[in-house]
């Protein structure tokens, strides 16, 4: 009699454990990006290891109204929902995921078991990426040695986090930003001014959720104008000296001073100025030794004739 009671107890206990092992639960595949297709996966498991293809239905609760969007693993609205079935799982694909698809409850039901959870928006799992090309959102200008860079996100989620590096130096803390929440999403304006910019690389990147964007990457190569500036100043000085000599020679001639005596001085002065000051600016220069040999006898001859 006692043995019979023991056997009966074992059978009943085994049946209860088999029922308790049945589980159903759905989770979202992250990140969930607005404007793309989002997938909710309903995992169904029970005591039988060879259950095979799972059959499930999906319901949503929006504005306190329950709507059946999939029954027996078939979508009731193929333009918005798609059902994917597999071993011990049944997935609901939400097409063109939008803000009307969040903050509502989703229920997966299979074999008289159901699991309900609210798909609540959060900054760890949801993203709204910029609709425009990221490079068109950035504007920059160089004012003297100050470089200004700004980026304007009109509608994103979550809050963008931007980083700036200049020649490997982190300038992120110098970024000034204004971020506002508009409904469910954010608008953000971020700008930075870098002073005393020299040769090097500036790179600005922004993170929106888990997505990384290169906003701007710019190389600076400034020409060294110091040498050119010196040459320009020297050229200006030479022009002034030449002008003075020419004017002096003309005045001397007007005052009826014998030109034949003064032209030697003017010629030597002009030759010296041209040879010393203008030779660096002439690409092809005559040999100085030959120039002296040709001109000195001529001046001597002119002096002798006088």
């Amino acid at each position: 009699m006692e043995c019979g009671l023991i056997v009966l107890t074992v059978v009943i206990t085994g049946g209860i454990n088999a029922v308790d092992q049945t589980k159903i639960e759905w989770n979202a595949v992250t990140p969930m990006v607005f404007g793309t297709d989002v997938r909710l996966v309903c995992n169904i498991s029970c005591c039988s290891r060879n259950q095979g293809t799972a059959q499930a239905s999906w319901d949503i609760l929006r504005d306190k109204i329950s709507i059946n969007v999939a029954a027996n693993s078939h979508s009731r609205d193929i333009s918005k929902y798609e059902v994917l079935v597999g071993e011990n799982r049944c997935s609901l694909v939400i097409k063109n995921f939008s803000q009307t698809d969040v903050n509502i409850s989703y229920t997966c039901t299979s074999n008289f078991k159901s699991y309900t959870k609210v798909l609540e928006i959060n900054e760890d799992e949801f993203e709204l990426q910029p609709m425009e090309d990221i490079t068109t959102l950035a504007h920059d200008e160089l004012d003297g040695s100050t470089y200004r860079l700004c980026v304007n996100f009109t509608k994103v989620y979550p809050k963008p986090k931007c980083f700036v590096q200049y020649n490997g130096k982190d300038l992120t803390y110098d970024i000034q930003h204004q971020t506002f929440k508009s409904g469910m999403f954010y608008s953000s304006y971020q700008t930075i001014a870098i002073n005393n910019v020299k040769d090097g690389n500036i790179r600005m990147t922004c993170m929106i959720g888990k997505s990384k964007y290169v906003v701007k990457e710019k190389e600076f190569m400034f020409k060294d104008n110091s040498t050119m500036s010196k040459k320009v100043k020297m050229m200006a000085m030479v022009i002034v000296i030449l002008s003075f000599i020419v004017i002096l020679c003309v005045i001397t001639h007007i005052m009826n001073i014998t030109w034949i005596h003064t032209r030697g001085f003017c010629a030597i002065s002009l030759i010296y100025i041209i040879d010393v000051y203008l030779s660096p600016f002439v690409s092809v220069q005559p040999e100085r030794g030959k120039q002296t040999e040709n001109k000195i006898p001529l001046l001597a001859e002119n002096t002798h004739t006088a």
Side-chain angles (χ1 to χ4, degrees), residues 75-90:
S75 172
R76 292 186 179 276
D77 183 2
I78 59 175
S79 64
K80 181 62 179 177
Y81 302 101
E82 181 182 358
V83 178
L84 303 176
V85 294
E87 184 176 354
N88 296 337
R89 66 177 54 190
C90 178

Side-chain angles (χ1 to χ4, degrees), residues 51-110:
Q51 183 179 356
T53 302
Q55 298 293 323
S57 63
W58 285 89
D59 297 272
I60 64 174
L61 182 64
R62 180 186 290 130
D63 298 329
K64 298 181 179 181
I65 300 175
S66 180
I67 305 172
N68 179 248
V69 296
N72 296 324
S73 301
H74 294 286
S75 172
R76 292 186 179 276
D77 183 2
I78 59 175
S79 64
K80 181 62 179 177
Y81 302 101
E82 181 182 358
V83 178
L84 303 176
V85 294
E87 184 176 354
N88 296 337
R89 66 177 54 190
C90 178
S91 301
L92 178 69
V93 179
I94 307 172
K95 300 179 181 179
N96 192 22
F97 190 67
S98 68
Q99 59 187 26
T100 60
D101 298 316
V102 297
N103 297 334
I104 62 176
S105 65
Y106 289 80
T107 300
C108 175
T109 303
S110 179

Side-chain angles (χ1 to χ4, degrees), residues 8-293:
L8 179 62
T9 303
V10 172
V11 173
I12 294 175
T13 305
I16 294 174
N17 290 337
V19 173
D20 290 342
Q21 289 177 358
T22 303
K23 295 182 180 179
I24 181 170
E25 181 182 17
W26 68 260
N27 292 287
V29 177
T30 59
M32 289 171 276
V33 181
F34 290 95
T36 65
D37 293 349
V38 168
R39 187 157 57 102
L40 309 181
V41 180
C42 184
N43 295 302
I44 306 166
S45 62
C46 70
C47 56
S48 175
R49 296 183 179 181
N50 300 317
Q51 183 179 356
T53 302
Q55 298 293 323
S57 63
W58 285 89
D59 297 272
I60 64 174
L61 182 64
R62 180 186 290 130
D63 298 329
K64 298 181 179 181
I65 300 175
S66 180
I67 305 172
N68 179 248
V69 296
N72 296 324
S73 301
H74 294 286
S75 172
R76 292 186 179 276
D77 183 2
I78 59 175
S79 64
K80 181 62 179 177
Y81 302 101
E82 181 182 358
V83 178
L84 303 176
V85 294
E87 184 176 354
N88 296 337
R89 66 177 54 190
C90 178
S91 301
L92 178 69
V93 179
I94 307 172
K95 300 179 181 179
N96 192 22
F97 190 67
S98 68
Q99 59 187 26
T100 60
D101 298 316
V102 297
N103 297 334
I104 62 176
S105 65
Y106 289 80
T107 300
C108 175
T109 303
S110 179
N111 297 330
F112 303 104
K113 299 279 290 186
S114 62
Y115 181 82
T116 301
K117 184 169 60 175
V118 175
L119 187 64
E120 187 174 2
I121 190 170
N122 62 81
E123 296 193 358
D124 295 327
E125 299 177 320
F126 291 79
E127 292 181 14
L128 174 63
Q129 300 170 356
M131 300 300 178
E132 309 88 344
D133 183 357
I134 194 70
T135 57
T136 64
L137 302 178
H139 304 279
D140 64 330
E141 64 175 358
L142 181 63
D143 184 9
S145 61
T146 300
Y147 177 69
R148 293 183 177 86
L149 174 62
C150 64
V151 58
N152 187 22
F153 297 103
T154 57
K155 191 177 181 182
V156 293
Y157 189 89
K159 298 177 184 178
K161 299 177 181 179
C162 295
F163 310 88
V164 173
Q165 283 195 335
Y166 170 50
N167 287 343
K169 182 180 179 181
D170 187 11
L171 301 180
T172 300
Y173 288 103
D174 295 332
I175 299 177
Q176 298 180 355
H177 60 87
Q178 295 178 330
T179 303
F180 306 95
K181 191 167 186 179
S182 178
M184 189 178 292
F185 306 121
Y186 293 97
S187 61
S188 180
Y189 178 81
Q190 309 206 19
T191 181
I192 187 173
I194 305 174
N195 299 318
N196 301 321
V197 175
K198 299 179 181 180
D199 291 357
N201 174 272
I202 293 177
R203 179 184 174 93
M204 184 178 194
T205 58
C206 291
M207 294 290 297
I208 301 177
K210 294 180 176 61
S211 301
K212 183 177 181 180
Y213 299 91
V214 178
V215 176
K216 194 75 175 181
E217 186 164 15
K218 195 176 186 72
E219 289 280 350
F220 286 99
M221 294 183 64
F222 295 96
K223 295 182 179 179
D224 185 7
N225 296 324
S226 58
T227 304
M228 184 62 66
S229 178
K230 291 179 181 179
K231 290 184 178 180
V232 171
K233 290 180 180 178
M234 185 176 291
M235 178 68 77
M237 183 179 66
V238 170
I239 293 175
V240 171
I241 296 174
L242 288 176
S243 301
F244 174 76
I245 293 175
V246 171
I247 293 173
L248 180 63
C249 293
V250 171
I251 293 176
T252 304
H253 181 69
I254 293 176
M255 294 177 65
N256 295 323
I257 298 177
T258 306
W259 168 248
I260 197 167
H261 293 286
T262 59
R263 70 180 181 177
F265 165 75
C266 294
I268 290 176
S269 300
L270 291 172
I271 291 171
Y272 179 77
I273 294 296
I274 293 173
D275 185 53
V276 173
Y277 293 100
L278 292 184
S279 58
F281 303 97
V282 181
S283 57
V284 180
Q285 303 178 12
E287 296 182 8
R288 185 173 296 181
K290 294 183 179 180
Q291 185 181 30
T292 305
E293 292 175 0

